[in-house]
Amino acid sequence: MRYGLISDIHGNLEALQAVYQEIDRLDVDDVLCLGDVIGYGPDPEKCIELVRERASVILAGNHDHAPIGLVDVTYFNSYAKQAVEWTTAQISQETRDFLESCPLIHEFERFTIVHSTPSNPSAWEYILSIDDAVENFPYIDNRCCFIGHSHVPVIISKSSNEQIQVQRLNKIVFQEDAKYIVNVGSVGQPRDLDPRAAFATFDDETYQYELHRVRYDIGKVQRKILDRGLPPFLAERLALGQ
Ligand code: ZN
């Protein structure tokens, strides 16, 4: 089965549509969403609708939980807080109920998906360093764990002789004698200095993984962000990929 892995869409409809077009072109059997469908971007409700149409499993991220009061936003920065307030006013009761029902982690036979960390999905911690990864490898029972949350694509592996490797490859076949933590990047707000939308494909028979990047109309999304009175920084960062 070949999966399309999408994460951190953040209400960016144009990026999501561009990713879906590419997913249609590739031979993808199913779509899985790793969370943060909303927050920051100008089209939360439409993004929820489109993700629900295509993805068989949709995880909740911290930005999906913030507008329904399941995440304490005290530690969000000011523009994130403003975006949460705006998003809260946009989403329907049905969407709120749906977001509340989304799991934080899902284990398949051959791989796991989680928004933040497999060790403690509800703490919303980040895997940014080798130490963070080392802490999390014991919680992975299968060969690979796909994550989102940081918006930066990366592959961290641990070999059978405990060697840790950090790689920024676009294509890899996961080896049998190793474990992998893989960040699939962000559809709607990339932060690796590449403004193109990111998503991944993974074949659970061949263990082939590939990161894809797609261009979309960033200007259109920026105009919507400004028109809707969201913080201008949220528009600026899309063009910079940070
Ligand atoms: Zn996010």
Side-chain angles (χ1 to χ4, degrees), residues 7-10 35-36 38 40 62-63 115 126 148-151 186 189 191:
S7 189
D8 296 275
I9 295 120
H10 285 293
D36 276 5
I38 62 172
Y40 297 130
N62 49 327
H63 283 267
H115 185 70
Y126 291 88
H149 203 32
S150 75
H151 302 203
S186 166
Q189 197 192 81
R191 293 180 193 160

Side-chain angles (χ1 to χ4, degrees), residues 65-125:
H65 272 184
I68 54 172
L70 294 176
V71 158
D72 179 7
V73 296
T74 314
Y75 300 105
F76 275 39
N77 52 47
S78 70
Y79 57 82
K81 259 189 219 165
Q82 276 184 62
V84 169
E85 267 172 41
W86 182 85
T87 303
T88 304
Q90 307 301 315
I91 56 171
S92 65
Q93 187 58 47
E94 202 213 324
T95 289
R96 302 173 72 88
D97 295 342
F98 169 72
L99 291 173
E100 207 175 338
S101 75
C102 291
L104 301 185
I105 185 165
H106 188 93
E107 293 203 30
F108 292 83
E109 196 189 324
R110 294 181 165 181
F111 64 101
T112 300
I113 56 173
V114 61
H115 185 70
S116 58
T117 66
S119 64
N120 193 353
S122 63
W124 309 116
E125 291 160 347

